[in-house]
Amino acid sequence: MISDTPLPRVDWIATQRKWLGSDRSAAFATVLLLAIALPCLLAPVFAPYDPSAQPDIIGLRSIAPSLLHPFGTDQSSRDILSRVIYGGRLSLTVAIVATLVSVTIGTVYGAVAGFLDGVGGTLLQRILDALLSIPRLLLLIAIFAAWNNAPLPVFILALGLTGWYGLARLVRGQVLALKAQDFVQSARALGATRSRILTRHILPNVVSQVVVAATLGIGHVIVLEAGLSYLGIGVHPPDASWGNIIQEGSDQIAAHWWISFFPGIAIVLTVMAFNVIGDALLRALQPRKSVIE
Amino acid sequence: MAAFLARRLAQGLAVVVLVATMVFFLIHTAPGDPFGASMENPGISESIRATWRHAYGLDRPLAEQYLRYMASVARGDLGFSFSQHLPVRDALASALPNTLLLMSIALAAAFAVGIAVAVIQVRQRGKFGDRLLGGVSIFLFSVPDFWLAMLVLTSLAYWVRWFPIGGSVDPGAYDTMGTAARIADRLYHLVLPALTLALLYFPVIARHQRAALLESISSDYITTARAKGVTERSIVTRHALRNALLPVVTILGVVFPALLTGAVFVEKIFGWPGMGLLIVNSIGSRDYPLLTAAVLLASTFVVLGSILSDVLYRWLDPRLHSDL
Amino acid sequence: MSQPLLSVQNLSTFFHTEAGLARAVDGVSFDVNAGETLGIVGESGCGKSVTALSILRLIQQPGRIEAGSRIEFEGKDLVTLDDAAMRDIRGNRISMIFQEPMSALNPVFTVGDQVAEVARVHGKGSRRDAWNRAVEMLTLTGIPSPEERAKQYPHQLSGGMRQRVLIAMALMMTPALIIADEPTTALDVTIQAQILDLLKGLQTKLGTSILMITHDLGVIAETTSRVLVMYGGEIVEEADVQVLFASAHHPYTEGLMHAMPQITDSRERLNVIPGTVPPPTAWPSGCRFRDRCPYAWEKCEKEHPPLYQIDQGHTSRCHLAVEPDRRAHPHVPLVEQVGATL
């Protein structure tokens, strides 16, 4: 029987306790994230008005933040708070799904690229190097300028397909290091198939990298989607996303600043929360590689 | 060193060729057609569109288009831009210097500020100053660039009229100015976009530098320096920093390509006539040649950037070049 | 009786860690006289390096020199001295030589630059003067072609030469006291002998006092005139070097002597003192050595032994001083062979 060698596994319980207990900024960020994400994901429950309703184009147009409309209204009298909440639902969903796609592809590609010896491995590495050289934003602009009215699932897929390269390189490096270690050699000597070695012995060690990459990745995609939507090649109206609400308010920003301001704040707070959490995870799981704080 | 450089350049070339291939196929197989019926001018008949397609070679088989493309890129001919009505090379050549100017100044500022912030954070480690700067860094790191640019523009050019609204020169008066006034005018227009970019980029640099400094400062040679009577300030700014600058050089590899593409949104909002604005303006007209060339150029910069940082690292670390 | 050069009184250095309070140095007192070499010997974990670092106040968080400690040197108390005055003393009146010459030198500066820096920091003359003196010191420590070597980087020098560089660094301002923390541990045996000779020669020539910290009794025998044995953060025995080797009192010192392999021996296994050093967060009650001591009895668990006076200049922290007959009845062997027990 192939030995299930005790690997240097991550002690999740202790990690959680240490992280949430002693690191106040991570705990605070988690609370903040939940405070933003929950209302957004449960938009129909939390939004005070219908985001596309235009109740009174004359009387309620472009009013500054007030009690009835905490984030103000736009020139079509739509309530900005509701738009931001629904927009959040879309932006967060896009970011999470795209990141899941990236993380899956990246992990598999990196693991296979690291595991294969010889020509196969080298070829995969060269392709990865080439992919890493292409700036993500530019590539997405080029694709969606060419493909103007791409449906939303395609947009999400494209975001996912352009975001896995960095993780693939990390995973590949990790796999290469693990491959050389004794427990893998002995599993091989005992006749384990390559796929078994990959799934049972190598992948579990890679989990921590993946979790950190996913958390930080969601933040990146939120900003990326916002930028693309702002340029008009991301999420299209009438669907609201944080990016295109900002775009709608951009030509009136001097007079009616609230339209562009609040979705921007929402982005900043959400992405900050993801970054703080991601870095706290990085510190908890691999203390020597910490970058912030 | 020469052999190392030659090898890296050859590898880089292979990567660029691979990138060109990938980008070509990606853009040309995406649905959509620059002369499709959804363009603004429905009055143009199909036969005219067909003529255009033929003139641009878009009705040839894909493989043939690819080979012609690679051959012309090798010659330096990047095609003709639909949106600028100029050869792509000329359009890029006039926009590129503006972007390089803006980004070099912004990055120089970002490096200076970033390293300074990191040094302050390390000297104040654990105390309020460290946390405050750390918080500011995370904030700026999380902010979307176009939004920050909008805020900066609105507050400093609209609400208080300290700076111009956009462009790189004063459109009316520039032509009549003398040289000194022209330079001053350019600098004046440079301030806001460069400031925005510096704010966006210094946190990354500060983060890396801080980590490198913290690692350096717990080394044995730092204890030796203290035992010699060196002041804490000199410990950080001389002994630890010199060692910690090495890892930051590797950031140059990441930052170099940003010289080209890092200012896309900022250029749009401040109307700065560089690569970013060019790219954004070409979106509406589905300007394949321009977009393809832009991506290719940017990738080349990425490759050059990583070669540059490898070479610099070898040059700066005395441990690595004593194979003499 | 002239004043001692350095007088350490009741020094305690504790580390306030999450795992608990580590009492690395716990109430240590000793004097160093002008022109003498005092040795401190003990296993790792006994507190000797922390003592050395404490004298120069090089202890970093979470470590702290506790209140009640006093270190007198040239009329000042080093524990309460302000930072600027302390920096004035470091490298100037008291210098330190470290154990790992490779990691103790900064890899990105030349060797000459690092040695000369001592003079620049203490404000003596110009850069040129500092450099010249650095070359002088490198010559003094026996480095061949010192002018060229000074322009080289640490990784270009051998281990022995790097240690000579550290010694040169320590000598730059002709300090009154040099603290040498395991200066030869990381070196080959032949180089070790050269370095020790160098230190002895320098002491005779310059009259510097040396505090020699080591775990190696051979080094103690070679270089010191008086010895302190440390265990469990405390001094457990103090004596002149000949007295120590001839008639050690404390069972720990005895064990160290027996554990030392002799070249004339024809044994196949090494001797070790059974058991291990307890962690500094949990020193045993009473005598800290009792769990490993062959003679321990009830008194050792209940009463923490003070430093008993055995003879003129010879003290020992052991209750055998008052009940010497117990020495005849060891209940376990003093040392055992490696691998004998588990």
Side-chain angles (χ1 to χ4, degrees):
Chain A
M1 213 45 243
I2 309 299
S3 68
D4 289 331
T5 326
L7 298 172
R9 278 177 182 271
V10 176
D11 182 358
W12 289 105
I13 311 289
T15 302
Q16 242 172 4
R17 202 175 294 140
K18 186 171 110 176
W19 167 41
L20 289 173
S22 60
D23 191 334
R24 279 177 313 175
S25 56
F28 183 67
T30 315
V31 169
L32 178 65
L33 187 60
L34 287 173
I36 295 178
L38 278 177
C40 287
L41 293 170
L42 297 173
V45 173
F46 283 86
Y49 304 91
D50 176 345
S52 33
Q54 303 176 17
D56 188 350
I57 284 206
I58 305 190
L60 284 179
R61 113 191 257 252
S62 300
I63 45 182
S66 61
L67 267 174
L68 273 180
H69 296 274
F71 287 3
T73 62
D74 65 5
Q75 69 273 35
S76 316
S77 76
R78 293 178 298 187
D79 173 53
I80 298 295
L81 175 59
S82 309
R83 286 184 68 70
V84 169
I85 291 179
Y86 272 88
R89 184 167 76 161
L90 191 54
S91 292
L92 283 171
T93 312
V94 168
I96 292 173
V97 175
T99 306
L100 279 173
V101 170
S102 295
V103 159
T104 312
I105 301 179
T107 311
V108 171
Y109 189 99
V112 172
F115 197 67
L116 283 180
D117 303 308
V119 179
T122 317
L123 182 64
L124 286 179
Q125 186 200 355
R126 291 275 168 247
I127 296 178
L128 191 56
D129 284 342
L131 288 171
L132 277 164
S133 312
I134 309 180
R136 194 179 184 187
L137 178 66
L138 270 200
L139 184 62
L140 287 166
I141 290 180
I143 296 177
F144 288 110
W147 191 354
N148 207 328
N149 269 307
L152 194 60
V154 172
F155 179 62
I156 297 178
L157 196 63
L159 281 173
L161 287 171
T162 51
W164 56 267
Y165 322 136
L167 181 63
R169 185 159 66 171
L170 280 175
V171 169
R172 178 177 173 273
Q174 187 97 327
V175 168
L176 282 176
L178 288 170
K179 218 168 52 163
Q181 288 194 22
D182 289 339
F183 65 86
V184 174
Q185 313 280 32
S186 59
R188 257 197 176 139
L190 289 171
T193 65
R194 289 158 86 171
S195 63
R196 190 191 171 90
I197 294 179
L198 200 58
T199 50
R200 275 198 147 276
H201 293 267
I202 294 186
L203 281 182
N205 281 290
V206 151
V207 166
S208 57
Q209 300 263 31
V210 170
V211 168
V212 172
T215 312
L216 295 173
I218 296 182
H220 288 163
V221 176
I222 293 178
V223 173
L224 198 56
E225 175 268 313
L228 290 169
S229 303
Y230 171 79
L231 289 175
I233 49 179
V235 174
H236 299 284
D239 290 334
S241 88
W242 283 335
N244 64 25
I245 302 176
I246 296 180
Q247 197 279 324
E248 282 169 4
S250 62
D251 51 0
Q252 331 152 32
I253 192 169
H256 310 136
W257 53 271
W258 49 91
I259 306 175
S260 294
F261 182 74
F262 289 107
I265 292 285
I267 296 177
V268 175
L269 290 177
T270 312
V271 174
M272 266 181 82
F274 275 110
N275 281 334
V276 170
I277 294 173
D279 201 66
L281 281 173
L282 189 61
R283 245 179 313 145
L285 298 173
Q286 290 167 319
R288 269 165 294 135
K289 285 198 188 161
S290 168
V291 174
I292 301 182
E293 263 139 48
Chain B
M1 179 67 103
F4 175 75
L5 187 59
R7 213 170 2 111
R8 289 292 274 115
L9 283 172
Q11 277 174 352
L13 188 61
V15 168
V16 171
V17 168
L18 200 50
V19 169
T21 309
M22 285 194 260
V23 169
F24 175 88
F25 280 103
L26 205 53
I27 293 184
H28 285 252
T29 54
D33 168 4
F35 302 114
S38 52
M39 240 179 95
E40 301 91 69
N41 218 332
I44 298 178
S45 72
E46 185 51 40
S47 63
I48 296 190
R49 290 184 207 279
T51 318
W52 283 346
R53 282 200 201 97
H54 182 80
Y56 279 100
L58 290 172
D59 52 351
R60 300 291 183 81
L62 203 57
E64 187 186 327
Q65 285 191 50
Y66 169 66
L67 287 168
R68 289 164 135 246
Y69 174 69
M70 292 304 275
S72 56
V73 168
R75 272 197 320 263
D77 171 12
L78 295 166
F80 195 85
S81 161
F82 305 153
S83 63
Q84 302 296 316
H85 307 294
L86 282 175
V88 168
R89 195 169 59 185
D90 296 348
L92 290 179
S94 64
L96 191 55
N98 288 321
T99 299
L100 288 178
L101 174 66
L102 176 61
M103 280 307 289
S104 336
I105 294 187
L107 283 177
F111 263 92
V113 173
I115 294 178
V117 165
V119 168
I120 297 176
Q121 281 193 279
V122 169
R123 294 214 58 211
Q124 302 284 327
R125 53 194 178 283
K127 294 191 246 177
F128 178 68
D130 183 15
R131 291 182 195 284
L132 179 66
L133 284 173
V136 168
S137 280
I138 299 188
F139 175 84
L140 287 170
F141 186 71
S142 313
V143 117
D145 14 359
F146 60 93
W147 189 76
L148 184 67
M150 283 163 69
L151 279 184
V152 168
L153 181 64
T154 313
S155 51
L156 295 175
Y158 276 109
W159 288 342
V160 293
R161 294 181 190 274
W162 289 349
F163 291 98
I165 295 172
S168 63
V169 294
D170 186 324
Y174 187 77
D175 294 328
T176 56
M177 288 182 189
T179 325
R182 283 187 179 194
I183 295 180
D185 186 46
R186 279 195 183 271
L187 286 175
Y188 183 51
H189 281 80
L190 203 62
V191 174
L192 285 188
L195 172 70
T196 312
L197 286 168
L199 282 174
L200 287 168
Y201 280 96
F202 91 74
V204 180
I205 295 166
R207 245 165 44 133
H208 275 262
Q209 185 66 79
R210 184 176 178 277
L213 268 177
L214 283 177
E215 193 170 313
S216 173
I217 213 167
S218 53
S219 308
D220 286 345
Y221 50 79
I222 295 293
T223 313
T224 309
R226 283 205 186 99
K228 290 197 289 195
V230 177
T231 62
E232 273 308 302
R233 201 180 66 151
S234 179
I235 295 267
V236 176
T237 56
R238 183 165 187 261
H239 289 255
L241 191 62
R242 182 77 173 73
N243 275 274
L245 278 179
L246 288 175
V248 171
V249 161
T250 58
I251 296 200
L252 269 182
V254 172
V255 146
F256 188 71
L259 273 176
L260 203 63
T261 59
V264 170
F265 292 105
V266 168
E267 284 187 11
K268 174 187 194 305
I269 290 179
F270 288 98
W272 186 266
M275 288 276 300
L277 189 59
L278 198 61
I279 291 170
V280 168
N281 287 344
S282 71
I283 289 178
S285 19
R286 295 194 211 132
D287 194 343
Y288 288 168
L290 184 62
L291 288 170
T292 322
V295 174
L296 193 57
L297 190 58
S299 301
T300 311
F301 263 61
V302 172
V303 169
L304 283 176
S306 86
I307 295 179
L308 181 66
S309 87
D310 281 351
V311 166
L312 265 178
Y313 197 94
R314 278 182 88 94
W315 183 57
L316 283 178
D317 188 344
R319 283 168 289 190
L320 290 179
H321 63 55
S322 65
D323 38 38
L324 310 156
Chain C
M1 215 22 172
S2 54
Q3 278 269 39
L5 179 66
L6 177 81
S7 180
V8 175
Q9 295 163 17
N10 199 34
L11 172 67
S12 293
T13 305
F14 296 166
F15 287 80
H16 303 256
T17 67
E18 279 162 17
L21 184 67
R23 297 152 71 153
V25 178
D26 204 355
V28 161
S29 304
F30 61 90
D31 292 340
V32 180
N33 299 307
E36 81 165 332
T37 303
L38 176 68
I40 302 185
V41 68
E43 289 169 281
S44 359
C46 71
K48 49 194 202 297
S49 283
V50 177
T51 306
L53 291 170
S54 302
I55 294 174
L56 274 181
R57 269 191 22 210
L58 290 173
I59 302 287
Q60 300 269 300
Q61 288 289 352
R64 230 192 13 231
I65 302 178
E66 300 295 310
S69 312
R70 199 179 156 77
I71 303 178
E72 276 177 21
F73 178 76
E74 291 184 342
K76 312 181 190 76
D77 178 11
L78 298 183
V79 175
T80 54
L81 213 55
D82 65 86
D83 287 340
M86 193 69 224
R87 264 184 272 124
D88 211 32
I89 292 188
R90 291 187 192 129
N92 186 12
R93 303 300 304 144
I94 304 179
S95 294
M96 192 149 166
I97 303 170
F98 293 92
Q99 178 175 342
E100 275 283 354
M102 186 62 227
S103 56
L105 287 171
N106 196 324
V108 300
F109 294 122
T110 60
V111 158
D113 187 320
Q114 297 188 52
V115 176
E117 186 178 23
V118 182
R120 291 200 310 263
V121 162
H122 293 284
K124 287 260 167 167
S126 65
R127 289 186 83 95
R128 189 96 301 257
D129 291 338
W131 182 267
N132 290 334
R133 182 153 174 85
V135 174
E136 226 184 282
M137 290 298 113
L138 290 174
T139 323
L140 197 63
T141 55
I143 293 181
S145 334
E147 281 279 359
E148 280 122 56
R149 289 296 187 180
K151 294 182 194 144
Q152 289 186 325
Y153 290 93
H155 67 279
Q156 294 172 288
L157 274 56
S158 71
M161 273 201 275
R162 283 182 227 135
Q163 193 58 290
R164 291 175 195 268
V165 167
L166 284 179
I167 295 173
M169 221 190 268
L171 291 172
M172 278 290 277
M173 309 296 291
T174 43
L177 172 67
I178 296 182
I179 304 177
D181 189 357
E182 310 257 20
T184 55
T185 305
L187 303 171
D188 293 336
V189 178
T190 39
I191 313 289
Q192 250 187 45
Q194 289 172 15
I195 298 291
L196 291 178
D197 277 339
L198 174 64
L199 284 173
K200 278 197 301 193
L202 288 171
Q203 180 184 44
T204 325
K205 203 169 2 173
L206 304 170
T208 332
S209 305
I210 301 182
L211 183 61
M212 175 72 75
I213 297 173
T214 178
H215 65 273
D216 187 341
L217 282 172
V219 171
I220 293 287
E222 275 265 343
T223 57
T224 64
S225 54
R226 218 166 33 99
V227 188
L228 305 169
V229 181
M230 276 188 78
Y231 186 84
E234 302 177 304
I235 297 178
V236 297
E237 187 156 7
E238 178 175 347
D240 289 343
V241 67
Q242 306 99 315
V243 171
L244 195 80
F245 277 90
S247 45
H249 184 272
H250 197 282
Y252 177 61
T253 319
E254 249 193 294
L256 284 181
M257 302 282 179
H258 279 88
M260 218 168 49
Q262 302 288 334
I263 201 146
T264 48
D265 260 346
S266 56
R267 62 176 61 254
E268 285 176 2
R269 285 161 171 258
L270 295 173
N271 284 332
V272 292
I273 304 176
T276 50
V277 182
T281 42
W283 298 128
S285 59
C287 172
R288 293 175 184 178
F289 186 63
R290 62 178 167 80
D291 293 325
R292 307 169 75 189
C293 181
Y295 315 114
W297 69 101
E298 309 75 42
K299 182 174 180 140
C300 304
E301 191 180 346
K302 295 205 199 78
E303 275 179 50
H304 179 247
L307 273 172
Y308 293 102
Q309 191 85 33
I310 308 296
D311 210 339
Q312 175 80 290
H314 185 182
T315 57
S316 171
R317 194 183 290 278
C318 179
H319 292 309
L320 283 175
V322 290
E323 291 188 45
D325 336 303
R326 297 240 179 209
R327 205 185 278 273
H329 310 289
H331 42 80
V332 286
L334 182 62
V335 291
E336 64 188 15
Q337 304 209 318
V338 173
T341 54
L342 237 177

